[in-house]
């Protein structure tokens, strides 16, 4: 091992992080990447490659990225503020704020017709929404079923294929569908995170974004984080590519100017709508590592942070979540096998790779990965502009975390 350490990272280890990231960029599969690693007071940032696959401006520390599903661990903080203030209670029904979800019907069989239902045994609670167990989700193991087809056709998920409508219309459409599972019974991905944004807006009486900005982004100095990129910053946003899985050819999924993030969206989606930078996300995850504080200011209570960042799933729910990760390796490319789930984020409950138990965070389909690790006091953030239509960004993510952990030296 190298004799010199830098705040718990070895010099040789930091060199390896840079060399491995550069190898991915040099391969031609990843045009550019911005990565941040920190421990204690030490922060290291690497910006390598270009914003476009055919060259163009260099990646820089303040490049803005589409955070995709890494929006989930950040978006959930708004609900925790409301819990801290007793404006929400974990086991209260959501009906007073989300009347569209009162008196639910539940499918007899997940793959059955939409009218073959039984009444829900209990109302949906705030806890069910926070834990992603309210009864509906993006279930990759149920693609092609009538309920999943209806979810896509109604525009309840981002751009697949319908754009999401504004929140009240989104809620109306959601309310026309039966649940796939009884409330609280089964963990399911994604829709709960968008539902949470609507809940926050209705409880707080302001838009989801303005509440996040006032209570989280502003105090943390997250000046480049929001649901769209203003015109004066759009040059800092690269295009998002979704390479052709067969040929690897770079197709633009979302252009910067005139693209999906160039104007305020109809729906502010906590499940995947944020744009941000490595430094903004670092401020957020460091706040979680600091048990809710930022400098002298408290953003969240210590118990709120503990609740978000520890496993909330029962063994049965854990089994279903694990099956989704393992049975969909062709989609997740091996990501997502962490075991647990807290509020809005994965929580590692067994050691399947270099990261220890208790590590928390999540990955995004736009080539993003954001985790913090209380055991090592470590934060890592990896941002690129290549979507996971191909395995290359996931391999980059794996290699990044391998190098981050081999660089620890204390």
């Amino acid at each position: 091992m190298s004799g010199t350490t830098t705040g718990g990272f070895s010099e040789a280890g930091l060199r390896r992080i840079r060399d491995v990231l550069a190898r991915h960029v040099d391969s031609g599969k990843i045009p550019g990447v911005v990565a941040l690693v920190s421990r204690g007071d030490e922060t290291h940032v690497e910006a390598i490659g270009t914003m476009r696959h055919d060259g163009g401006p260099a990646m820089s520390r303040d490049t803005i990225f589409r955070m995709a599903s890494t929006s989930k661990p950040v978006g959930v903080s708004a609900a925790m503020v409301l819990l801290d203030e007793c404006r929400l209670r974990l086991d209260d029904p959501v009906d007073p704020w989300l009347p569209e979800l009162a008196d639910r019907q539940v499918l007899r069989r997940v793959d059955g017709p939409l009218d073959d239902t039984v009444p829900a045994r209990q109302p949906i609670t705030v806890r069910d929404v926070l834990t992603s167990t309210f009864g509906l989700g993006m279930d990759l193991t149920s693609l092609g079923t009538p309920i999943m087809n209806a979810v896509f056709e109604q525009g309840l998920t981002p751009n697949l294929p319908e754009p999401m409508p504004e929140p009240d219309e989104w809620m109306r459409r959601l309310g026309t569908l039966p649940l796939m599972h009884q409330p609280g019974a089964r963990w399911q991905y994604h829709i709960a995170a968008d539902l949470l944004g609507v809940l926050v807006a209705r409880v707080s009486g302001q838009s989801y974004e303005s509440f996040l900005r006032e209570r989280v982004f502003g105090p943390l100095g997250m000046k480049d984080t929001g649901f769209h990129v203003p015109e004066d910053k759009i040059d800092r946003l690269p295009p998002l590519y979704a390479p052709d899985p067969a040929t690897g050819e770079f197709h633009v999924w979302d252009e910067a100017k005139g693209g999906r993030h160039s104007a305020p969206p109809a729906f502010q989606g906590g499940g995947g709508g944020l744009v941000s930078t490595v430094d903004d996300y670092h401020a957020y995850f460091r706040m979680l590592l600091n048990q809710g504080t930022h400098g002298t200011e408290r953003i969240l209570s210590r118990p709120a942070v503990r609740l978000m960042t520890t496993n909330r799933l029962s063994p049965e729910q854990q089994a279903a979540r694990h099956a989704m990760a393992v049975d969909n390796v062709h989609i997740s490319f091996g990501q997502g096998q962490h075991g647990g789930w807290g509020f809005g984020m994965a929580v590692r409950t067994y050691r399947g790779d270099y990261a220890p138990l208790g590590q928390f965070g999540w990955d995004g389909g736009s080539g993003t990965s954001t985790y913090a690790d209380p055991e090592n006091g470590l934060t890592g953030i990896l941002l690129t502009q290549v979507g996971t239509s191909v395995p290359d960004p996931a391999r980059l993510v794996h290699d990044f975390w391998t190098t981050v952990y081999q660089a620890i030296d204390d």
Side-chain angles (χ1 to χ4, degrees):
M1 275 187 119
S2 156
T4 37
T5 63
T6 316
F9 293 113
S10 70
E11 293 288 353
L14 289 169
R15 268 200 309 277
R16 182 173 286 166
I17 293 174
R18 180 173 178 84
D19 291 347
V20 167
L21 295 176
R23 191 190 312 157
H24 280 272
V25 172
D26 292 343
S27 76
K29 302 284 180 64
I30 304 288
V33 59
V34 181
L36 179 149
V37 293
S38 76
R39 278 188 91 193
D41 298 328
E42 289 282 338
T43 301
H44 301 272
V45 175
E46 298 289 354
I48 302 172
T50 54
M51 287 174 56
R52 304 191 70 91
H53 83 90
D54 48 3
M59 283 289 185
S60 65
R61 183 167 181 160
D62 69 352
T63 296
I64 296 170
F65 291 88
R66 299 159 191 81
M67 301 308 290
S69 284
T70 58
S71 303
K72 291 176 170 74
V74 174
V76 73
S77 62
M80 307 313 289
V81 170
L82 293 172
L83 285 173
D84 275 344
E85 297 179 348
C86 300
R87 294 160 78 184
L88 279 176
R89 293 185 203 95
L90 281 172
D91 294 305
D92 274 1
V94 295
D95 303 0
W97 300 287
L98 307 174
E100 297 92 341
L101 298 183
D103 306 320
R104 294 292 77 202
Q105 293 288 312
V106 182
L107 290 174
R108 280 183 203 275
R109 303 177 27 161
V110 168
D111 58 355
L114 298 185
D115 56 0
D116 185 16
T117 60
V118 296
R121 289 194 289 266
Q122 61 220 36
I124 295 168
T125 65
V126 173
R127 185 188 297 272
D128 297 334
V129 178
L130 278 164
T131 53
S132 244
T133 60
F134 83 99
L136 266 178
M138 286 268 300
D139 190 340
L140 300 175
T141 60
S142 301
L143 294 177
T145 58
I147 184 66
M148 283 311 300
N149 290 346
V151 163
F152 292 135
E153 286 158 13
Q154 294 278 348
L156 295 177
T157 55
N159 305 306
L160 293 166
E162 291 291 311
M164 291 170 75
E166 50 81 30
D168 289 349
E169 171 62 13
W170 187 86
M171 283 303 309
R172 187 195 67 75
R173 295 182 194 181
L174 188 66
T176 65
L177 299 179
L179 301 179
M180 299 168 77
H181 300 282
Q182 288 286 343
R186 189 180 173 104
W187 182 87
Q188 290 187 284
Y189 189 53
H190 184 76
I191 295 178
D194 283 337
L195 182 59
L196 198 66
V198 182
L199 180 62
V200 166
R202 290 186 177 178
V203 173
S204 68
Q206 55 193 119
S207 79
Y208 182 39
E209 181 171 37
S210 66
F211 187 79
L212 277 167
R213 183 149 282 137
E214 187 181 301
R215 304 306 300 274
V216 182
F217 301 163
L220 287 173
M222 296 170 69
K223 61 185 188 300
D224 292 321
T225 303
F227 290 104
H228 84 288
V229 182
E231 177 61 32
D232 60 347
K233 296 181 180 181
I234 200 82
D235 291 338
R236 290 160 54 193
L237 181 74
L240 175 62
Y241 297 105
D244 185 306
T247 65
E249 185 187 347
F250 282 96
H251 294 300
V252 175
W253 168 253
D254 186 33
E255 196 47 86
K257 288 188 171 67
R260 290 182 179 91
H261 287 279
S262 64
F267 190 100
Q268 296 171 354
L274 288 176
V275 292
S276 194
T277 61
V278 286
D279 284 301
D280 279 11
Y281 255 57
H282 181 217
Y284 179 78
F285 277 89
R286 193 173 46 192
M287 176 271 291
L288 295 182
L289 284 181
N290 290 338
Q291 304 294 328
T293 60
H294 175 72
T296 58
E297 192 159 0
R298 181 162 288 286
I299 311 295
L300 295 173
S301 71
R302 181 184 293 251
V305 173
R306 288 279 166 83
L307 196 57
M308 292 162 71
T309 61
T310 49
N311 180 46
R312 303 265 66 81
L313 302 185
S314 69
E316 298 76 29
Q317 291 167 337
Q318 193 95 309
R321 157 127 167 75
H322 184 73
M324 191 190 102
V326 175
D327 296 347
N328 285 282
V329 161
H330 61 291
I331 294 171
S332 67
F333 305 110
Q335 281 300 99
Q337 298 181 36
H338 316 81
W341 191 262
F343 288 166
M345 65 189 89
V347 178
R348 220 169 260 283
T349 54
Y350 71 94
R351 190 159 193 150
D353 56 28
Y354 280 29
L357 306 192
Q359 184 208 44
F360 55 81
W362 196 226
D363 306 289
S366 56
T368 55
S369 186
T370 58
Y371 288 87
D373 162 7
E375 181 181 309
N376 292 295
L378 178 148
T379 304
I381 297 162
L382 177 89
L383 306 176
T384 183
Q385 78 280 54
V386 183
T388 48
S389 54
V390 288
D392 305 299
R395 290 174 179 147
L396 167 65
V397 165
H398 281 289
D399 290 352
F400 170 68
W401 288 107
T402 299
T403 57
V404 168
Y405 278 102
Q406 62 79 41
I408 291 175
D409 187 9
D410 47 13

